[in-house]
Amino acid sequence: MKAKLISLNPAAPQVVMLDRLPVVLGRGAKADIRLSDRTLSRRHCEIDRVSATLVVRDLGSKNGTRVNRAAVSEAVLMPGDKLTLGACTFVVSYEQHPGELPPVVNQTTESSPDNSDDSNTTSMATGIGGSGDDSR
């Protein structure tokens, strides 16, 4: 999988290639990919591949990790998603091959009598796995 993060900061355009996974992003010397942003933690987050998708995990950063503006501790990253680390925002880019399916995220087991077309939409910015507790 060839993946990259494309910076949305016009003052410092940057493309971060994700050649090896997992990869830790942060501003410290122990980060695999160092970003010069003082709002980032030394080891801010980790990006890894799970099945056919990328997953981001916050590593206890001070200013948090966001996917499409939602604060996350762990989330699936789909192509086109916006990943914000501190003050840096990137667009996630990678190709999914036909037949590769993303992991299921927050399946609900309850059904309501008013099932609209929107009821089958799953937010990709929610945690994957864990207890399902989204309180932060």
Side-chain angles (χ1 to χ4, degrees), residues 48-112:
D48 200 359
R49 179 180 175 170
V50 175
S51 298
T53 61
L54 296 179
V55 174
V56 63
R57 290 178 195 90
D58 186 85
L59 298 175
S61 66
K62 181 177 179 183
N63 291 316
T65 298
R66 296 179 176 275
V67 176
N68 299 325
R69 297 186 180 182
V72 298
S73 59
E74 184 175 78
V76 172
L77 293 173
M78 298 301 292
D81 280 349
K82 291 182 182 170
L83 173 65
T84 302
L85 312 172
C88 302
T89 299
F90 299 92
V91 173
V92 177
S93 175
Y94 66 93
E95 290 184 26
Q96 284 187 295
H97 299 287
E100 291 182 326
L101 298 174
V104 176
V105 178
N106 284 351
Q107 268 188 318
T108 57
T109 56
E110 297 179 24
S111 61
S112 64

Side-chain angles (χ1 to χ4, degrees), residues 14 16 23-46 58-65 85-88 90:
Q14 181 177 9
V16 176
V23 62
V24 173
L25 287 80
R27 65 176 171 82
K30 293 184 180 181
D32 299 315
I33 296 177
R34 293 178 65 188
L35 302 171
S36 59
D37 178 348
R38 295 187 62 76
T39 63
L40 293 179
S41 295
R42 288 179 181 94
R43 291 175 40 88
H44 196 93
C45 70
E46 178 183 64
D58 186 85
L59 298 175
S61 66
K62 181 177 179 183
N63 291 316
T65 298
L85 312 172
C88 302
F90 299 92

